[in-house]
Amino acid sequence: QVLLVESGGGLVQPGGSLRLSCAPSGFTLDDFAIGWFRQAPGKEREGVSCISKNADITDYADSVKGRFTISRDNARNTVYLQMNSLKPEDTAVYYCAAGWVCGIAAEYEYWGQGTRVTVSS
């Protein structure tokens, strides 16, 4: 079953911004750490960011550090990924995933179907 739904992707020019959202279907996100991953065509899936269950820990890939910000709003049962200063190499399908702690992709229990981000002029 698909238990997470990503939204907010689209086409944006280099230097632009997007905000991705991750929302659950049928459960409460505040029980989980939430990670964002991305996969470009022909590339390995890579971790982008993660936020711990109580938001006291956030991690970012070096490639996005300083440009992306992860946050969670438990009242809205949603996790966000604010993406600024987007580059063509950010083009990928972005996935959110829920797990017990922040970690590698194989350690996450639940995944969404992804939202596509295209950065192009």
Side-chain angles (χ1 to χ4, degrees):
Q1 293 183 339
V2 176
L3 297 179
L4 298 172
V5 179
E6 304 93 341
S7 62
L11 175 64
V12 64
Q13 292 188 337
S17 297
L18 288 172
R19 188 179 72 165
L20 306 184
S21 298
C22 175
S25 297
F27 68 100
T28 301
L29 282 184
D30 64 4
D31 291 330
F32 299 93
I34 302 296
W36 284 97
F37 297 82
R38 66 186 182 187
Q39 188 166 23
K43 301 290 187 180
E44 299 283 344
R45 182 172 295 188
E46 64 174 335
V48 176
S49 185
C50 184
I51 187 165
S52 63
K53 179 173 63 177
N54 61 3
D56 61 339
I57 298 172
T58 56
D59 289 326
Y60 298 92
D62 288 342
S63 59
V64 307
K65 193 172 299 182
R67 300 188 296 119
F68 291 10
T69 303
I70 190 169
S71 63
R72 64 193 306 157
D73 186 340
N74 287 342
R76 293 178 169 82
N77 205 19
T78 303
V79 172
Y80 303 98
L81 184 68
Q82 179 68 45
M83 306 187 297
N84 298 326
S85 302
L86 283 162
K87 304 174 180 180
E89 51 263 46
D90 295 318
T91 296
V93 176
Y94 284 71
Y95 301 87
C96 67
W100 312 126
V101 296
C102 290
I104 63 173
E107 295 178 309
Y108 288 83
E109 297 289 332
Y110 310 113
W111 291 79
Q113 291 182 306
T115 185
R116 184 176 298 276
V117 172
T118 302
V119 184
S120 177
S121 60

